[in-house]
Each structure stands twice: as C-alpha cells, then as structure tokens.
Amino acid sequence: MSENILIVDDEREIADLVGLYLGNENFHVYKYYCAADALQCIEKEKLDLAILDVMLPDMDGFSLCRKIREKYNYPVIMLTAKGEEVDKITGLTLGADDYITKPFLPLELVARVKAQLRRYKRYNVGAQPEADVFEYGGLVLNVTTHECRLNEKPLELTPTEFSILQILCQNRGKVVSSEELFRQIWKEEYFTKSSNTITVHIRHLREKMGDSFENPKYIKTVWGCGYKIEG
C-alpha cells in the first residue's frame, strides 16, 4: 500500500501511536498536532484519507472537515470523546464517513481505515453489483467510474453517501432497513443509536440532490421499515 493518510490530533501520544501503526501497514502518514499545519498539507499533498480529532487547539475538527469537503471527497474519520453522541452526528452532518470513540484500540482504527479505503478505491472486487450503471429519473450512478450525475450535473458525494445510494439503487423498488444499510457499509453490529448515523447521511444525500423530505422524488422513507428508491 502507498496511500497517503493525514492524522491531526493535538494529543501527541495518540497521533504518534496511530502514525506508527499505520506506518507499519505501509501507509504514508502525514502527522500534525494542529489544524493550521494540516491545512497546508491538505492543499499541497494528494491525500487518500484523513483522521481528524474533534478537539484541536486552533480549529475544531468539524471546521477542518468542512474545509476538506469544500474540495475533496476522500474518506474522513473523526475521533470523538467518549459518549459525545452530538460530536458524532455533527461530524457526519459535515461529511465525515466514520467516527471512532476515544479511547480506542489502534488496530481497530487501522481496520476502519482499510475499510474506508477499500470502498473509496473500489478494491473489493467481490462486492461488484449486478449492473455498473443505475439510472432513475435523471439520476445516473456509475459504479465503475464512481461518478454520480443528477439531471446532467455532477453530484459530489462522499464514499459513504455513494455507498448508501448504490445499495438503494441495487435494491430499487425494495425497502432497505437502516440496520441493513449500516451492516453493509460498516460491517459492524447494529445498535439502536446507529440509526442516527444512517439518518444523517440520508439527510445529507437529500440536501445534495435537492430532494424534499416531505415529498421526496428519489429516496423515500418507509416509516418503521427503512428507505427505498421506487422501482
């Protein structure tokens, strides 16, 4: 592997430890302890994934995530304080793809990084869909090129948003539960609070698509069941 990973955490012991583990997996690590230095790296280097701590001395991780999303769609993993559910929801709303709660096992974070990169780089050949291109009502989702267009205009999606839309398109006309979406994307055990994660991503998708919550054209909520795109 030679992917470039950005780590931003003002707790030097954590940043150094994460950098060590990722380096041992042959990732190229850019490690910073403040947002200002990280911003310069973001502008100069070609990054494949960013790991951002929420609490930074000069700029919070949310603002840094927002800056990244102004130009880039590579995966972002947020590091949040234990039990701070609001931090997780805020990060996801701003375009983060995943979060991990401190304290955490470094190997767990490495596994999360690899999972996000597989999705982003489309390494997982075994998960190829039955069709490469999905079309519906002006929406065109090309899995091979990882591109999405809506009414001929490019739609900039994060890897997680793209994955959710892909799963819904693959199951067009069928209801997909929040639990199934969560398990397919994160490969983890689903808990009740995990539904918030899916809800935030669905809301973000609708906003980008200009879709109405009350009367959506594309992603429809089936109350008590899940979500679907009409067949």
Side-chain angles (χ1 to χ4, degrees), residues 33 35 130 210 218:
Y33 310 114
E130 295 178 1
Y218 299 101

Side-chain angles (χ1 to χ4, degrees), residues 133-153:
V133 180
F134 300 96
E135 298 184 40
Y136 173 70
L139 175 68
V140 180
L141 192 76
N142 190 317
V143 177
T144 302
T145 61
H146 214 261
E147 294 175 320
C148 183
R149 302 181 72 85
L150 183 61
N151 299 323
E152 303 298 328
K153 296 181 179 180

Side-chain angles (χ1 to χ4, degrees), residues 129-131 133-136 139 141 143 148 157 159-182 184-185 198-206 209 211 216-222 225-231:
E130 295 178 1
V133 180
F134 300 96
E135 298 184 40
Y136 173 70
L139 175 68
L141 192 76
V143 177
C148 183
L157 303 178
T160 299
E161 291 165 355
F162 191 96
S163 294
I164 288 174
L165 201 53
Q166 178 182 341
I167 292 169
L168 292 176
C169 286
Q170 284 179 259
N171 292 276
R172 187 171 155 188
K174 302 177 183 178
V175 178
V176 183
S177 68
S178 294
E179 180 176 356
E180 182 60 27
L181 283 170
F182 188 88
Q184 284 199 45
I185 293 171
I198 297 299
T199 300
V200 171
H201 283 300
I202 292 290
R203 185 172 74 237
H204 223 204
L205 267 172
R206 283 175 173 156
M209 299 170 75
D211 212 6
K217 178 181 178 181
Y218 299 101
I219 302 175
K220 300 191 176 181
T221 301
V222 181
C225 298
Y227 303 93
K228 73 171 181 177
I229 289 179
E230 294 289 2

Side-chain angles (χ1 to χ4, degrees), residues 40-86:
Q40 295 183 33
C41 176
I42 289 166
E43 292 300 320
K44 290 192 303 183
E45 305 295 340
K46 183 182 182 301
L47 300 173
D48 296 290
L49 184 142
I51 301 170
L52 312 177
D53 185 27
V54 170
M55 300 299 294
L56 296 170
D58 51 346
M59 175 191 293
D60 61 63
F62 301 137
S63 299
L64 192 53
C65 179
R66 188 186 295 113
K67 285 283 188 183
I68 290 174
R69 283 292 171 254
E70 288 175 0
K71 292 185 179 180
Y72 308 105
N73 287 319
Y74 51 75
V76 174
I77 298 176
M78 303 294 296
L79 302 181
T80 69
K82 186 175 182 180
E84 293 296 328
E85 188 72 15
V86 64

